[in-house]
Amino acid sequence: MRKAFLLIAPAILLAGCNAFGGNQSKSLDEFAVARNAPLVIPPDYSLTPPVAGTISMSAQDAQSQAIEALFGGPAPRSQTETSMLERAGRDRASLGIRSTAGDPDTRVVDKGQATQTIIAAQPADSEIASAQTPQQ
């Protein structure tokens, strides 16, 4: 009798969970299908198809036209910005200055001996990084 009660009691309790408003979810109605809007032909923007044998626009021309359409071309610099650039010497800057400044051998700022040793350290094969700095 006790074994029968242990088997029947959980079944009754679990069956009652749904009867009293437990997890009640609506089933899907397969006949309630939404209709899509009809396809619409876009307005004619007076585009002409390409003619065979003519030169097409290059990718660079298309990119420059897209940038021009999006941003409207270069904005004029203000008098203050122009004056600041002239005083900074923008006409005297070399073309590859960014590559030179990013080079570890370039001494733009006094990095100190310890920093230079760490920067110049060879990559190691291990996952643990280590660098030996000279003791002064």
Side-chain angles (χ1 to χ4, degrees):
M1 179 75 179
R2 187 174 216 184
K3 290 182 182 179
F5 178 74
L6 289 175
L7 292 175
I8 294 174
I12 292 172
L13 290 173
L14 289 175
C17 289
N18 198 17
F20 295 112
N23 189 9
Q24 293 180 357
S25 61
K26 292 185 176 183
S27 61
L28 297 175
D29 185 10
E30 63 271 8
F31 296 108
V33 177
R35 297 280 179 193
N36 290 337
L39 295 176
V40 178
I41 298 174
D44 183 23
Y45 292 110
S46 301
L47 299 175
T48 58
V51 179
T54 60
I55 299 173
S56 64
M57 187 183 311
S58 69
Q60 184 63 29
D61 293 338
Q63 182 179 9
S64 62
Q65 280 186 358
I67 290 173
E68 180 74 27
L70 287 172
F71 303 111
R77 296 189 189 275
S78 68
Q79 182 63 32
T80 305
E81 187 177 3
T82 305
S83 172
M84 184 203 55
L85 288 172
E86 291 301 322
R87 288 184 183 185
R90 71 172 169 183
D91 56 340
R92 295 184 308 269
S94 62
L95 294 176
I97 191 64
R98 291 184 181 182
S99 299
T100 306
D103 187 20
D105 294 332
T106 303
R107 295 186 58 103
V108 179
V109 177
D110 185 16
K111 298 173 186 165
Q113 185 62 34
T115 306
Q116 286 182 353
T117 304
I118 292 171
I119 291 173
Q122 296 297 321
D125 292 334
S126 68
E127 294 179 3
I128 301 170
S130 66
Q132 285 76 29
T133 58
Q135 300 297 325
Q136 295 177 0

